């Protein structure tokens, strides 16, 4: 019967969502200050915003400005167009790409004022999961534990743990890999066709 092997070397990527922050460094944020997220411009105003892509920056409390900015992100074009979602804590606005994976790493971010500081020029930390494909069937790397019956394997703290999880996934009788069997030794998975 035909056999092949996989050697786990390194840590496979799992699906992760790109993130970033804006920090309100100095309050108030002057009217006309522009922040950009994914090509959408949000503008600081003094008082009640007249547009969903505006936020009130006219207060001496940086945490209030952060709440206002997060609200404008979530209820304005940025949130409506599915670019990012936002939360605030103290003077920091945390941004999370709506779409998980490496695509979020291309979402641009900028501020034209030192009063609001972007964590970088793009969101970061998004990754697509590594996969193992056998006979057209794909197993996807996930944070442990793996889901029994699922077409996934858990990325363990060691290569040996990950190899064991790949073996368990292949041998799981409730998934669609019933045409092969697997055994592992250390960081190596040996796959054999029936």
């Amino acid at each position: 019967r035909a056999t092949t092997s996989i050697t786990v070397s390194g840590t496979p990527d799992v699906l992760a969502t790109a993130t970033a922050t804006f920090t309100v460094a100095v309050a108030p944020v002057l009217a006309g200050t522009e922040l950009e997220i994914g090509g959408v411009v949000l503008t600081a105003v003094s008082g009640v915003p007249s547009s969903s892509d505006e936020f009130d920056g006219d207060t001496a409390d940086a945490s209030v400005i952060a709440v206002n900015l997060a609200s404008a992100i979530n209820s304005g074009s940025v949130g409506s167009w599915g670019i990012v979602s936002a939360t605030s804590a103290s003077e920091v606005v945390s941004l999370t790409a709506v779409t998980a994976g490496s695509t979020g790493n291309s979402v641009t971010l900028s501020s034209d004022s030192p009063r609001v500081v972007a964590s970088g020029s793009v969101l970061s930390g998004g990754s697509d999961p590594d996969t193992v494909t056998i006979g057209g069937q794909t197993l996807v790397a996930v944070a442990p534990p793996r889901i029994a019956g699922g077409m996934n394997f858990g990325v363990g703290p060691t290569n040996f743990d990950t190899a064991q999880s790949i073996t368990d996934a292949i041998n799981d009788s409730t998934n669609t890999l019933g045409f092969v069997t697997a055994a592992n030794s250390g960081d190596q998975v040996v796959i054999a066709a029936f």
Side-chain angles (χ1 to χ4, degrees):
R1 74 186 180 171
T3 63
T4 190
S5 66
I6 299 169
T7 301
V8 178
S9 61
T11 304
D13 286 334
V14 298
L15 184 64
T17 305
T19 60
T21 60
F22 277 118
T23 301
V24 181
V26 178
V29 173
L30 304 176
T33 295
E34 293 183 343
L35 309 177
E36 178 267 333
I37 303 170
V40 177
V41 175
L42 295 110
T43 306
V45 296
S46 178
V48 178
S50 61
S51 150
S52 62
D53 290 331
E54 295 177 340
F55 65 97
D56 183 3
D58 190 28
T59 176
D61 187 339
S63 63
V64 171
I65 297 170
V67 167
N68 294 343
L69 176 56
S71 178
I73 291 167
N74 291 329
S75 64
S77 299
V78 173
S80 298
W81 293 349
I83 300 170
V84 301
S85 63
T87 58
S88 66
S90 297
E91 69 281 354
V92 177
V93 178
S94 297
L95 308 173
T96 303
V98 170
T99 302
S102 61
T103 301
N105 296 334
S106 64
V107 174
T108 57
L109 192 67
S110 67
S111 170
D112 70 356
S113 168
R115 292 176 180 250
V116 181
V117 179
S119 59
S121 60
V122 292
L123 275 68
S124 63
S127 65
D128 298 322
D130 284 329
T131 60
V132 174
T133 302
I134 304 165
Q137 303 298 308
T138 302
L139 295 172
V140 178
V142 297
R146 73 168 292 276
I147 301 163
M151 294 295 289
N152 58 64
F153 62 93
V155 176
T158 70
N159 294 347
F160 302 144
D161 295 317
T162 302
Q164 181 62 58
S165 186
I166 292 170
T167 301
D168 293 344
I170 292 169
N171 293 332
D172 187 335
S173 63
T174 59
N175 68 26
T176 58
L177 290 169
F179 55 92
V180 293
T181 186
N184 73 296
S185 176
D187 62 355
Q188 188 173 42
V189 179
V190 177
I191 303 165
F194 284 116

